[in-house]
Amino acid sequence: MTITLTTPALLFPALSLLLLAHTNRFLALANRVRALNTQYVTTNSTHLLGQIQNLRQRLVLIRNMQAVGTASMFGCVLCMFLLFAGYTLAGEIVFGASLLALLASLGLALWEIQISVDALNIELNAIEDDQERRRRAAGQPTVPAAAELDE
């Protein structure tokens, strides 16, 4: 298989969009951290501690996704330079490494999405717990939680 200058260049639009998506996720998390901080200061709710732990893990993953995605783009540029300079084998190796970095970035993104679902479940459980407390306080019969219905 022969790699030309246009082969790594084909990844630029995908990598640019991927890095933009990672940045948007980071910005959304930053806003969520600020909102959680304000909410915790006013309510001292214990379920927020689970959210905070979840957010820390997600922030680390997003940082790593961005780093590996940037390394992939860097590798593509380096590959193009090596191919331009006539170092075909080195260019092919660097391109392969760039593809692996892209794969790692996508894998981290999938992991972060799974953790994000856990964060939503924490919120949903807190809502269900609050509804249960209100029912008990009002003397109404309790309703099984959604998780109990699935069993």
Side-chain angles (χ1 to χ4, degrees):
M1 177 175 141
T2 304
I3 295 179
T4 64
L5 278 172
T6 58
T7 305
L10 291 173
L11 285 182
F12 280 123
L15 288 169
S16 296
L17 289 174
L18 183 68
L19 291 174
L20 180 62
H22 293 340
T23 300
N24 286 340
R25 290 191 73 79
F26 176 80
L27 293 174
L29 277 183
N31 287 333
R32 182 68 179 136
V33 166
R34 290 181 184 99
L36 271 178
N37 180 48
T38 302
Q39 189 178 358
Y40 184 75
V41 167
T42 58
T43 67
N44 289 328
S45 178
T46 57
H47 91 276
L48 295 178
L49 296 176
Q51 287 286 23
I52 291 166
Q53 181 181 8
N54 185 290
L55 287 172
R56 283 185 190 280
Q57 192 176 16
R58 290 174 63 197
L59 286 169
V60 168
L61 284 173
I62 289 175
R63 179 199 61 204
N64 293 341
M65 289 181 333
Q66 289 175 320
V68 177
T70 301
S72 180
M73 184 169 273
F74 181 85
C76 283
V77 173
L78 180 60
C79 171
M80 291 172 67
F81 175 76
L82 291 170
L83 292 173
F84 178 75
Y87 299 108
T88 307
L89 180 60
E92 290 172 351
I93 291 169
V94 170
F95 183 67
S98 296
L99 290 176
L100 290 175
L102 176 58
L103 187 62
S105 182
L106 292 172
L108 289 171
L110 181 60
W111 188 7
E112 193 271 334
I113 288 168
Q114 290 173 335
I115 293 171
S116 179
V117 169
D118 291 342
L120 293 174
N121 282 328
I122 290 170
E123 287 294 320
L124 292 173
N125 289 339
I127 292 169
E128 288 173 347
D129 290 347
D130 185 54
Q131 287 177 339
E132 188 65 27
R133 276 191 298 275
R134 289 179 188 201
R135 281 191 190 103
R136 284 186 197 148
Q140 297 175 348
T142 59
V143 177
E148 294 172 5
L149 294 174
D150 290 341
E151 294 176 352

